[in-house]
Amino acid sequence: MQLRIPEGGIPGGGRDGAAGAPSAAGDPEGAGSSGGSPAASPAASSGSRASRRAGAGRRRKAPESTLVARLVAVAVVFGAWLRRVRPRYPRPGRAGWKRWVPSWRQTGGAVLASFGLGFLSLSFAYAVTDIPENLNSYATQQDNVYFWADGTPMARTGWVQRQAVELEDVPEDVRWAVLAAENESFYSDPGISFKGISRAVLRTVGQGSTQGGSTITQQYVKNVYLTQEQTYSRKFTEAMMALKLDNRMSKDEILEGYLNTSWFGRGTYGIQRAAQAYYGKDVSGLNASEAAFLASLLKGAGLYDPTLSANNRARAVERWRWTLDRMVEIGRLTPEERAGYRDFPEPLESNPLYNTGEQSDYLVELATQYAKKAAHISDKDFDRGGYQIYTTFDKKRVDELTKSVNKARDEARKKNPEAAKHVHYGAASVAADGRILAIHGGPDHRKQGYNESNATTVRAGSAFQPFVYAAALEHGVRKSREGAPERVTGETLYPGDDGVPVTTPEGPYWDRSGRKVAAKNDGGRSYGRISLHRALALSVNTTFMQLGMDTGLDKVRATAQAAGLLPSSLGAQVPALSAGSSTPSAIRMAGGYATFAAEGRHTEPYAVLKVTRNGHEVAVDVPGARRAVDVETAAAVQSALTDAFRTAHPGAAAAAGGAVAGKVGTTEDDTAAWYVGTEKKVSTAVVVYRIDLARSLEPLPLEGLGGTAADSVPYRVWARALGHAG
């Protein structure tokens, strides 16, 4: 098709000098003709080029766009697009509730946007999460150091230990017992379990604390980099670090680190120390059955150590069986091998790694109990170590008390070797301000697993009488149900004859078997009517049994508790309460008598002055003094106890200058002998009793090893320890 050019050219072509315009000579047959001459004249040709150059020079250039202009243009386009795609809500063209139902496009868009934002957030969190270079205290265990009251070192507990082992030294059965119990997909997961995390979140929402859902990689991260606090932020950080660590370390490296840093109880961290603590062997010597039990401890050693309680044992056995069955299910144990493990592998009763000194073990044990309680330190935190515990123990007093008890023990062996096999000596010194200055817990903590100074196994006997006396002085006595209480003093007279029946306002007191209750004095001695002050000095049982009834056994019990005796150790509310049916420890008896020396103010006994960790002081709750009995009551009791000491030991009283108070304590069935005495605001209680621990905790007759009221073995121990003549 041929384009026709109108005659005269394109309008305006001559002015613009466009290609195809007529020549300057005005030739009607010019260049626009299809049949034009192929050879144009040189002049015309030259004029045409000049005309184009002139036109080009006159043409205006378009301005170059700036960055701002470009951004504005993009924004305009993007805004227009958004206006087109923005969801119309409520939806037009719909009526009623249908207007509020999103379309499938709106729903899909929201879901995709949520996934996109979530992915971007997780990607950002992953990018900014760092793996610390230094391990935390979970992976670097320390020991705890104990100090005497004067600041000198007393003991160092090195039994909180961790010994790392190579993964190749851990038997396959041990590794897979742990994996079967904790994370069977360990070698295939990315370091976290999405299913487990979801389950943990659901449990957290329902129960208020984060639970479960952790892979071994996450647990390892928690062990060596994070704290043990149960919060969402810690859990999220743990997951991000686990993902990153899984890309940085091999699975075997992570498993090795986990096995070496996990807590197994009994003060141990790591599978090697756990094997030694529970089975007395290296990890290389464990079989699948023993490994299955150790794996159960990872759920919580305090709940699965079978030596702690019957409930613990039941849980441990159930978990042990489950772990072995899981090993079969995942193909790491054959059914035939599983059939060979029918009996639960009982662990050792105690950790053989625990080892300090003979007597210092009792001091460490007592100080540890008080430190954890007063400083609010959990068992797990304390086992991580690094604590300095400054105790209240006076080394000189402890040494003298131990020396005195050992001498009495030797004398008993010479006097009655057979009976002396089961004799026990508990002793404690407590200051008026509550400080426990000394204890004697037993011959050797490694052979005897309980502290004799803190045991509540035998009756107080007549050593309980000061609390009855104090209650009567505080509250008065009632001779009739309707009458007002009558005030009593140390000079008030009471019956003191042997075998006098105990009475109530209605008549004699009958026990459940239908017999009249009557008290008996030591040696069957009768004193007639005797003052309360003198009755306490002479330990007249009949007087105080009746005095307790007249005062009110509830008031006797309350007074003893206020003075420091534990409610759990107090006897039943029957006449025998006043005769000493309660079973306080030596520490509590010393603390009770210290209350009278402290003018009626009681301070709970405590064994720790200060606790620090790595040089930083830890807040410790130090008990304060509180009023237990009136000042006048305390002074009257202390006066009677001073006369009791003077009457029984006149020579020692003269040497002491009248500054010592104390009395003997005997029981009707001769199963315990006591002496509790106070000097210079420090009370010391000594108890002697016999128990065959291999058979039961029932006390046995002393068979003369406690001495007599006039020649008391506990008094001898007390007097030698405090430097008094017998």
Side-chain angles (χ1 to χ4, degrees):
M1 178 177 179
Q2 194 171 14
L3 179 65
R4 286 189 165 286
I5 301 176
E7 208 174 320
I10 298 173
R15 287 190 303 271
D16 294 337
S23 68
D27 184 0
E29 301 288 331
S33 172
S34 62
S37 173
S41 71
S45 215
S46 174
S48 176
R49 286 195 296 271
S51 174
R52 285 196 298 271
R53 282 198 300 271
R58 291 192 302 270
R59 185 178 300 146
R60 212 193 256 165
K61 289 184 179 180
E64 293 184 6
S65 61
T66 65
L67 177 62
V68 174
R70 291 174 185 173
L71 291 176
V72 169
V74 170
V76 170
V77 173
F78 186 67
W81 178 80
L82 283 179
R83 284 191 294 274
R84 283 200 311 272
V85 301
R86 69 178 180 181
R88 291 178 158 186
Y89 199 79
R91 296 171 65 188
R94 299 287 192 277
W97 60 270
K98 292 182 179 180
R99 299 176 61 220
W100 303 99
V101 178
S103 68
W104 67 270
R105 290 182 179 178
Q106 291 172 339
T107 303
V111 171
L112 289 175
S114 298
F115 274 113
L117 289 174
F119 178 78
L120 289 174
S121 299
L122 289 175
S123 299
F124 178 77
Y126 179 85
V128 300
T129 298
D130 292 324
I131 303 295
E133 294 183 3
N134 298 322
L135 305 182
N136 65 17
S137 60
Y138 285 83
T140 54
Q141 298 308 305
Q142 303 178 62
D143 54 10
N144 295 316
V145 184
Y146 297 78
F147 298 88
W148 294 103
D150 62 2
T152 57
M154 182 184 79
R156 182 185 296 269
T157 55
W159 48 272
V160 181
Q161 296 183 19
R162 177 180 62 89
Q163 181 180 351
V165 292
E166 301 285 342
L167 189 64
E168 62 186 22
D169 296 328
V170 180
E172 286 281 342
D173 282 346
V174 177
R175 299 185 215 175
W176 280 103
V178 172
L179 293 175
E182 292 293 305
N183 184 191
E184 65 185 65
S185 64
F186 169 73
Y187 279 103
S188 60
D189 65 41
I192 64 173
S193 168
F194 296 100
K195 180 180 178 181
I197 291 176
S198 300
R199 184 172 60 249
V201 170
L202 290 175
R203 289 179 178 174
T204 300
V205 171
Q207 299 182 15
S209 62
T210 55
Q211 299 183 30
S214 294
T215 63
I216 277 179
T217 307
Q218 288 175 263
Q219 293 181 55
Y220 175 61
V221 166
K222 180 176 64 175
N223 285 349
V224 300
Y225 296 117
L226 303 176
T227 66
Q228 303 294 308
E229 62 177 342
Q230 297 292 303
T231 62
Y232 288 108
S233 60
R234 200 273 296 155
K235 200 74 176 174
F236 181 79
T237 303
E238 173 192 296
M240 291 297 102
M241 291 179 69
L243 281 171
K244 186 162 283 190
L245 198 69
D246 194 71
N247 292 325
R248 183 177 297 183
M249 297 173 64
S250 70
K251 288 290 189 179
D252 282 348
E253 288 175 328
I254 294 173
L255 180 59
E256 179 180 303
Y258 173 74
L259 291 174
N260 282 324
T261 57
S262 294
W263 186 65
F264 287 85
R266 295 194 178 184
T268 62
Y269 286 83
I271 192 70
Q272 170 74 341
R273 284 301 192 206
Q276 295 169 344
Y278 288 92
Y279 290 109
K281 62 175 74 172
D282 290 337
V283 64
S284 59
L286 295 175
N287 59 34
S289 179
E290 294 164 337
F293 161 70
L294 293 181
S296 70
L297 296 172
L298 295 169
K299 292 286 287 183
L303 295 174
Y304 288 88
D305 186 343
T307 63
L308 298 180
S309 70
N311 289 337
N312 272 25
R313 191 181 188 284
R315 279 190 290 265
V317 171
E318 181 182 359
R319 183 76 177 175
W320 165 77
R321 288 174 179 158
W322 178 85
T323 301
L324 289 174
D325 292 339
R326 290 294 301 155
M327 292 180 71
V328 174
E329 290 177 23
I330 64 177
R332 296 297 169 175
L333 200 65
T334 66
E336 293 75 19
E337 291 172 328
R338 171 66 181 90
Y341 299 125
R342 296 184 180 277
D343 298 324
F344 179 69
E346 296 289 350
L348 301 174
E349 284 295 321
S350 61
N351 186 353
L353 302 178
Y354 183 93
N355 185 19
T356 57
E358 292 182 2
Q359 190 59 216
S360 64
D361 283 355
Y362 297 106
L363 301 174
V364 166
E365 178 187 59
L366 190 63
T368 299
Q369 292 173 359
Y370 279 95
K372 289 179 181 179
K373 181 179 179 181
H376 307 287
I377 305 171
S378 69
D379 291 343
K380 188 180 290 187
D381 285 341
F382 198 83
D383 283 348
R384 293 184 194 120
Y387 290 97
Q388 297 81 45
I389 298 94
Y390 296 84
T391 74
T392 60
F393 304 132
D394 184 315
K395 188 177 187 305
K396 182 178 179 182
R397 285 182 179 271
V398 171
D399 290 344
E400 291 299 324
L401 195 56
T402 300
K403 190 187 304 181
S404 183
V405 169
N406 288 341
K407 186 171 183 178
R409 200 185 304 276
D410 292 339
E411 292 171 350
R413 289 176 182 144
K414 292 178 182 178
K415 182 177 181 179
N416 190 340
E418 190 61 31
K421 291 179 181 178
H422 308 301
V423 70
H424 299 271
Y425 302 82
S429 294
V430 178
D433 60 5
R435 290 174 296 126
I436 302 175
L437 302 181
I439 63 166
H440 179 83
D444 188 341
H445 191 276
R446 292 168 293 187
K447 297 177 181 178
Q448 175 178 288
Y450 81 101
N451 187 337
E452 291 170 353
S453 72
N454 206 25
T456 56
T457 52
V458 294
R459 296 183 177 185
S462 55
F464 187 81
Q465 290 174 359
F467 305 108
V468 182
Y469 185 33
L473 294 174
E474 284 277 290
H475 303 286
V477 298
R478 288 179 181 270
K479 296 297 185 179
S480 64
R481 296 295 182 196
E482 295 78 19
E486 299 176 12
R487 181 175 177 272
V488 296
T489 68
E491 300 307 314
T492 301
L493 299 178
Y494 253 73
D497 288 338
D498 182 58
V500 174
V502 175
T503 62
T504 68
E506 289 77 22
Y509 184 93
W510 303 80
D511 62 18
R512 293 186 177 182
S513 62
R515 292 179 296 183
K516 291 181 181 180
V517 174
K520 294 184 178 181
N521 294 326
D522 287 337
R525 184 176 175 183
S526 293
Y527 297 88
R529 292 185 65 78
I530 186 172
S531 70
L532 296 179
H533 180 100
R534 184 159 176 75
L536 182 61
L538 298 176
S539 290
V540 182
N541 295 330
T542 53
T543 298
F544 286 97
M545 195 172 243
Q546 185 59 54
L547 182 64
M549 292 297 294
D550 294 344
T551 302
L553 297 176
D554 58 333
K555 294 180 175 60
V556 172
R557 184 183 179 92
T559 300
Q561 185 175 335
L565 271 59
L566 294 176
S568 58
S569 71
L570 294 174
Q573 213 160 286
V574 295
L577 175 66
S578 300
S581 62
S582 300
T583 58
S585 66
I587 292 175
R588 288 290 168 172
M589 279 296 277
Y593 275 58
T595 299
F596 303 125
E599 299 178 338
R601 295 181 66 81
H602 173 71
T603 305
E604 283 290 287
Y606 63 99
V608 173
L609 293 169
K610 184 176 71 171
V611 176
T612 61
R613 190 164 196 248
N614 298 328
H616 300 284
E617 191 158 347
V618 179
V620 175
D621 297 334
V622 177
R626 56 175 171 75
R627 175 64 57 192
V629 295
D630 290 341
V631 175
E632 295 79 9
T633 297
V637 174
Q638 193 70 1
S639 174
L641 291 173
T642 301
D643 280 353
F645 180 75
R646 184 182 297 115
T647 300
H649 309 285
V660 179
K663 77 180 299 296
V664 73
T666 58
T667 58
E668 187 176 342
D669 54 6
D670 190 37
T671 55
W674 289 81
Y675 194 84
V676 190
T678 304
E679 181 187 35
K680 297 178 181 178
K681 302 290 185 179
V682 176
S683 290
T684 300
V686 180
V687 60
V688 180
Y689 57 96
R690 287 181 68 239
I691 289 180
D692 185 352
L693 293 173
R695 295 185 178 182
S696 73
L697 291 177
E698 285 298 316
L700 303 171
L702 281 169
E703 297 187 10
L705 296 182
T708 63
D711 184 22
S712 168
V713 171
Y715 171 75
R716 283 187 236 153
V717 173
W718 181 91
R720 284 194 293 255
L722 273 68
H724 293 290

